[in-house]
Amino acid sequence: GDTDLETPAGPVRIRQIAGLVARRVVTRVRAGEELETGERIGIIRFGSRVDVFLPLKYEASVKAGDHVRAGETVIARMRPESR
């Protein structure tokens, strides 16, 4: 499912996509809930993936295929000219 976040730099959409094997996505946050940096929003199981749609003010810190850790890996930063 999709989770839409409002950030100071604009909207961010997180799309959790269940894989063919596990077919399990769990979203733990609710509409209107405020989140802290690094807070986990849910769980995906084996063979699943997450797509992140960012405003143009952000620049990706990772590339397709990189392994990331929830709550630890910085996946994007604001572009210096956007601050």
Side-chain angles (χ1 to χ4, degrees):
D2 288 354
T3 301
D4 293 323
L5 306 174
E6 291 298 325
T7 75
V12 171
R13 172 166 285 170
I14 300 169
R15 180 170 293 154
Q16 296 170 286
I17 302 168
L20 295 174
V21 177
R23 295 184 177 271
R24 181 126 189 248
V25 170
V26 178
T27 303
R28 293 181 175 166
V29 296
R30 299 188 196 304
E33 190 173 340
E34 288 192 28
L35 304 172
E36 299 293 327
T37 300
E39 189 170 342
R40 294 179 183 203
I41 64 162
I43 298 172
I44 59 171
R45 301 289 181 197
F46 310 101
S48 301
R49 77 170 205 238
V50 175
D51 292 342
V52 181
F53 302 89
L54 301 167
L56 293 175
K57 292 181 179 182
Y58 285 100
E59 181 174 35
S61 304
V62 296
K63 61 186 181 316
D66 283 355
H67 290 269
V68 298
R69 272 194 166 317
E72 294 179 19
T73 305
V74 175
I75 62 168
R77 297 185 187 280
M78 279 187 73
R79 295 176 188 276
E81 65 273 11
S82 297
R83 292 185 184 161

